């Protein structure tokens, strides 16, 4: 995969150390408990449980994500695709500007809250998926449509309650609908399109390259519009697009002097250091990345302890107002 082009995210890696991340090193895979993380699955349901309705809603929130084969690359089995063969023609846009405007408008209509376009930097592709399969793209697939889906502020503010976990699941299901439909749209026009959720490539640096935000102390994308209260998905394609620019301030301008996410983290997984560093805390961190240290093992242990995912570091984040203050 050689279609790399330095984007803004590349400024935060040490090319002498950084290697493509092996997705088997995520905490989910390393603990080999991901499929067992089913604390709000039906086997735990009890009619006398006062939280039964919330449990059912949290479980149901994942329905589209979990049951839509083909929405994301890692849910495609074998050669199964939504469109097995593209039409015998390719629609030619009159310019890459026209193509970019069209795909952004289509993505918004399919549910994207934010859309950015970037040439793919090969550094962000996983080296291997969780299955161990190497990640490869056809060389002409040089572009990414990166999309953010807003999560509801009120629901997320209740983290770590089940109603916040349900909003995470709804976010993933909206990602599935969005990435699946945008990929299908491109394939129907005769283009290569690979719809991705968290699979295939790291979404946050791709979103930074696509101008959607910066990575904050909490390890999440911070956007002007929603702070970190978004889910990310992307479609990788051979449709020639126009590179979006990133006019965000540096992460230190927003996060140095604020430690609210770290204080809200009951797992002590986030750092209160003044600035980002090259520190590696666990085997789930990728060396050669300049960022605030993050301990995913502590984070995931907390999820297991409470039996659901947590959004405390999203709920506590004042990035929207900090961006606005910086502009004043
Ligand atoms: S998700 Fe929760 S446990 Fe994990 S880092 Fe954020 S606040 Fe901490
Ligand atoms: S809570 Fe503060 S330090 Fe943490 S990500 Fe948000 S703005 Fe940055």
């Amino acid at each position: 995969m050689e279609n790399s082009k330095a984007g803004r995210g590349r400024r935060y890696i040490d090319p002498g150390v950084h290697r493509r991340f092996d997705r088997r090193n995520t905490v989910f895979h390393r603990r080999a408990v991901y499929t067992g993380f089913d604390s709000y699955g039906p086997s735990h349901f009890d009619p006398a449980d006062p939280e039964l309705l919330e449990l059912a809603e949290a479980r149901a929130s994942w329905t589209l994500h979990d049951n839509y084969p083909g929405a994301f690359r890692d849910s495609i089995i074998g050669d199964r695709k939504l469109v097995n063969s593209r039409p015998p023609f390719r629609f030619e846009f009159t310019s890459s500007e026209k193509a970019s405007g069209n795909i952004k408008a289509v993505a918004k209509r399919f549910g994207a809250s934010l859309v950015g376009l970037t040439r793919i930097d090969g550094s962000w592709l996983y080296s291997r998926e969780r299955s161990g399969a190497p990640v490869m793209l056809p060389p002409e697939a040089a572009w990414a449509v990166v999309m953010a889906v807003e999560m509801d502020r009120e629901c997320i503010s209740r983290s770590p309650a089940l109603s916040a976990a349900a909003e995470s699941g709804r976010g993933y299901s909206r990602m599935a609908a969005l990435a699946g439909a945008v990929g299908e749209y491109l394939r129907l026009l005769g283009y290569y399109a690979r719809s991705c959720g968290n699979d295939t490539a790291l979404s946050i640096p791709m979103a930074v390259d696509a101008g959607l935000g910066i990575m904050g102390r909490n390890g999440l994308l911070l956007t002007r519009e929603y702070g970190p209260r978004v889910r990310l998905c992307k479609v990788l394609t051979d449709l020639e697009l126009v590179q979006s620019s990133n006019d965000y301030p540096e992460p230190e301008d927003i996060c140095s002097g604020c430690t609210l996410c770290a204080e809200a983290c009951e797992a002590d997984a986030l750092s209160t250091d003044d600035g980002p560093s090259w520190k590696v805390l666990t085997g789930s961190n990728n060396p050669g990345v300049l960022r605030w240290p993050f301990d995913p093992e502590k984070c995931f242990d907390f999820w297991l302890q409470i039996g659901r995912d947590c959004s405390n570091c999203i709920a506590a984040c004042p990035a929207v107002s900090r961006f606005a203050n910086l502009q004043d």
Side-chain angles (χ1 to χ4, degrees):
M1 225 331 281
E2 279 306 323
N3 46 15
S4 66
K5 172 181 180 286
R8 174 160 177 173
R10 184 163 271 263
R11 286 165 30 198
Y12 306 111
I13 63 174
D14 176 350
V17 177
H18 182 268
R19 298 287 176 270
R20 285 167 57 187
F21 188 60
D22 185 330
R23 202 176 177 211
R24 293 173 297 181
N25 288 334
T26 58
V27 68
F28 300 115
H29 192 91
R30 290 178 66 234
R31 294 291 179 90
V33 293
Y34 183 72
T35 52
F37 181 57
D38 191 26
S39 302
Y40 42 86
S43 60
H44 300 270
F45 283 20
D46 174 351
D49 186 341
E51 284 195 306
L52 179 63
L53 298 182
E54 287 87 352
L55 275 168
E57 183 176 340
R59 179 69 187 181
S61 68
W62 289 87
T63 300
L64 185 59
H65 176 274
D66 292 351
N67 296 289
Y68 176 14
F72 301 139
R73 179 65 191 184
D74 59 359
S75 63
I76 295 174
I77 300 158
D79 288 333
R80 185 173 169 198
K81 294 183 181 66
L82 294 178
V83 174
N84 288 319
S85 54
R86 286 180 243 159
F89 66 87
R90 169 174 279 202
F91 176 81
E92 297 294 344
F93 288 92
T94 52
S95 67
S96 45
E97 285 78 11
K98 289 269 189 212
S100 300
N102 175 266
I103 197 71
K104 283 183 177 178
V106 168
K108 289 265 176 97
R109 286 196 288 274
F110 279 127
S113 306
L114 302 170
V115 189
L117 310 173
T118 185
R119 189 174 277 282
I120 296 171
D121 184 331
S123 307
W124 312 138
L125 294 177
Y126 296 123
S127 57
R128 289 180 185 274
E129 281 292 358
R130 273 200 207 131
S131 64
V135 173
M136 290 182 293
L137 289 181
E140 65 275 17
W143 289 92
V145 181
V146 188
M147 298 166 285
V149 175
E150 181 191 7
M151 292 186 290
D152 182 77
R153 184 202 309 269
E154 172 63 26
C155 289
I156 292 296
S157 73
R158 294 189 213 116
S159 174
L162 275 167
S163 50
E167 184 59 11
S168 292
R170 279 190 291 272
Y172 274 95
S173 284
R174 288 198 290 270
M175 282 163 53
L178 173 61
V182 171
E184 185 76 340
Y185 174 71
L186 286 166
R187 289 189 291 272
L188 287 167
L189 295 179
Y191 292 91
Y192 172 86
R194 178 161 166 158
S195 303
C196 311
N198 292 346
D199 57 294
T200 307
L202 293 161
S203 295
I204 294 175
M206 250 183 190
V208 172
D209 284 353
L212 296 185
I214 51 174
M215 187 162 86
R217 179 189 298 277
N218 55 10
L220 302 172
L221 185 78
L222 305 183
T223 67
R224 281 199 182 91
E225 295 82 354
Y226 312 108
R229 196 167 37 81
V230 291
R231 294 281 164 204
L232 298 172
C233 57
K234 63 264 183 191
V235 175
L236 314 185
T237 181
D238 58 356
L239 173 63
E240 186 82 15
L241 297 167
V242 176
Q243 175 71 45
S244 302
S245 62
N246 187 314
D247 61 354
Y248 273 81
E250 292 302 317
E252 294 93 318
D253 296 332
I254 298 299
C255 293
S256 293
C258 172
T259 54
L260 288 177
C261 53
E263 290 164 34
C265 178
E266 297 179 43
D268 197 25
L270 298 173
S271 160
T272 54
D273 291 357
D274 196 43
S277 67
W278 304 98
K279 283 182 201 165
V280 170
L281 300 184
T282 84
S284 293
N285 294 144
N286 203 21
V289 180
L290 184 65
R291 54 166 295 166
W292 273 275
F294 168 56
D295 189 327
E297 325 282 329
K298 286 183 178 175
C299 171
F300 194 59
D301 279 347
F302 181 65
W303 291 20
L304 292 174
Q305 182 193 322
I306 62 174
R308 65 197 68 157
D309 60 70
C310 159
S311 296
N312 285 10
C313 52
I314 300 176
C317 181
V320 171
S321 56
R322 291 179 76 84
F323 283 126
N325 291 343
L326 217 57
Q327 275 175 336
D328 290 343

